[in-house]
Amino acid sequence: MKKTKIVFLGTPDFAVDTLRKLHDAFTVVAVVTQPDRPSGRGKKMMAPPVKQVAQELGLPVEQPQKIKNEQFLQWLKSLEPDFLVTAAYGRILPGTVLAVPKIAALNVHASLLPRWRGAAPIHRAVLAGDEKSGITIMHMDEGMDTGDMILQQAVPISNELTTGELHDQLAAVGGDLIVEAIEKILQGDAPRVPQDQSKATAAPPLTREEEQIDWCRDPKEVHNLVRGMNPWPGTYTFIDGQRLKIWSGKPAGGKGKRCGEVLRADGEGILVATKDGAYLITRLQPPGKKPMTAGDFLRGNELAVGTLLGK
């Protein structure tokens, strides 16, 4: 298996486990990732996580500004890879690139396709309150996650699981499943299953508007939003004009006259009226401070019952 040559394309943390598992099982001849980007308050140039791990493993790294580039294409062909494997690379590959590998171009996708095709499948699964997600190993084509499927493995989503926690679970599954898929292809017994296009759903990038809590949604929807935006980008509300990030909470009993009305504020948390119920905020973050329990926040901030959040 080690003689099997692979070019890996990936960028964020999600792709790191896949790269490590491929490196252990096969011969990764090169790694392609996005260019370094400015990051943090100082806007210091930072290498993508995949680049950092590739350098740690001693693998050559390419960071093309454009994937539709003749020079890049010729370089890729010169490697004569058996497989191209992508995991959250961040760009759709053109047909000229997909045609390069001798055996197949494969993708590690973080959903049970055809559900959640697109850029944010992990977030969308949690935001929608799905009971499960998973990994799909698929053949790539020029569409958005539309290729034939090889293997899938489901991962349950509990009512408390955050996007960050699901991300880490799926990343680990993806690394193992892509190795299994390649081994099956090499042995000649890999399935190839077309997707049911009628069941496809889109997972578009998150928008700024989605980050603010709408207290006129039901408690479960508010809960799914809070955990679905944790740890990135976070969700928020306003208390007396102060913008607070909300990191955790849970649906709770209670009823108010107005959406966003504070029903109770004590050491247990801040109980807020929603549509058809209430939501208990248990962890939040004021501007310029670290996340804290709602109880700690209330010790330094008065919050009267009847205060309206979201303004």
Side-chain angles (χ1 to χ4, degrees):
M1 297 296 184
K2 267 289 185 181
K3 292 182 180 179
T4 302
K5 295 167 61 176
I6 292 174
V7 172
F8 178 71
L9 301 91
T11 302
D13 285 324
F14 176 80
V16 165
D17 198 71
T18 294
L19 173 57
R20 290 190 182 277
K21 295 288 176 59
L22 289 171
H23 178 261
D24 289 343
F26 309 107
T27 299
V28 178
V29 293
V31 172
V32 180
T33 189
Q34 296 274 5
D36 296 0
R37 308 285 188 198
S39 179
R41 292 183 180 179
K43 297 299 180 182
K44 181 181 178 181
M45 295 297 288
M46 290 292 293
V50 162
K51 179 182 179 180
Q52 297 176 38
V53 172
Q55 291 176 330
E56 171 197 323
L57 297 173
L59 300 173
V61 178
E62 287 290 322
Q63 296 176 276
Q65 292 289 344
K66 294 182 179 180
I67 204 75
K68 295 181 179 180
N69 178 291
E70 186 61 28
Q71 184 177 354
F72 172 77
L73 182 61
Q74 293 307 316
W75 168 80
L76 193 61
K77 288 180 177 179
S78 72
L79 299 174
E80 299 183 340
D82 297 301
F83 293 90
L84 293 186
V85 175
T86 70
Y89 174 52
R91 293 174 181 170
I92 295 177
L93 304 185
T96 52
V97 170
L98 297 178
V100 169
K102 299 176 183 177
I103 300 175
L106 307 177
N107 181 44
V108 181
H109 184 74
S111 82
L112 296 175
L113 291 171
R115 186 161 177 80
W116 302 130
R117 293 174 176 173
I122 303 176
H123 284 89
R124 294 299 173 191
V126 179
L127 290 170
D130 288 0
E131 294 182 353
K132 64 180 179 179
S133 180
I135 290 291
T136 301
I137 307 300
M138 53 175 284
H139 289 274
M140 282 189 287
D141 57 22
E142 293 186 73
M144 177 67 79
D145 303 321
T146 55
D148 293 348
M149 302 177 294
I150 304 168
L151 294 176
Q152 289 188 313
Q153 184 171 325
V155 172
I157 304 177
S158 72
N159 290 332
E160 303 304 320
L161 198 70
T162 66
T163 286
E165 292 164 340
L166 179 59
H167 168 282
D168 293 348
Q169 292 182 26
L170 292 177
V173 171
D176 291 331
L177 207 60
I178 185 63
V179 171
E180 181 182 348
I182 291 174
E183 289 174 344
K184 284 184 174 294
I185 290 172
L186 293 173
Q187 293 162 6
D189 61 356
R192 183 161 185 156
V193 182
Q195 295 185 40
D196 184 344
Q197 306 297 331
S198 68
K199 295 182 179 179
T201 59
L206 303 175
T207 66
R208 291 284 187 184
E209 292 74 21
E210 292 178 278
E211 296 174 28
Q212 184 172 3
I213 296 174
D214 177 359
W215 294 108
C216 284
R217 299 169 74 176
D218 70 46
K220 185 176 181 181
E221 288 178 312
V222 173
H223 184 53
N224 291 342
L225 178 68
V226 172
R227 65 193 184 98
M229 295 291 195
N230 183 348
W232 181 89
T235 191
Y236 68 90
T237 191
F238 289 98
I239 299 180
D240 293 331
Q242 182 182 27
R243 176 169 164 158
L244 296 180
K245 280 202 166 186
I246 307 301
W247 288 116
S248 67
K250 59 184 179 181
K255 187 174 183 181
K257 295 179 180 180
R258 300 174 297 174
C259 300
E261 178 185 355
V262 174
L263 304 177
R264 190 182 83 235
D266 53 31
E268 187 181 359
I270 301 169
L271 187 66
V272 185
T274 66
K275 176 186 176 183
D276 299 328
Y279 184 77
L280 184 69
I281 299 170
T282 58
R283 192 167 183 81
L284 50 76
Q285 183 179 6
K289 296 185 178 181
K290 295 181 178 180
M292 62 183 69
T293 66
D296 287 341
F297 172 77
L298 292 170
R299 276 189 278 274
N301 298 270
E302 291 187 9
L303 185 60
V305 171
T307 299
L308 197 63
L309 303 194
K311 302 293 184 182

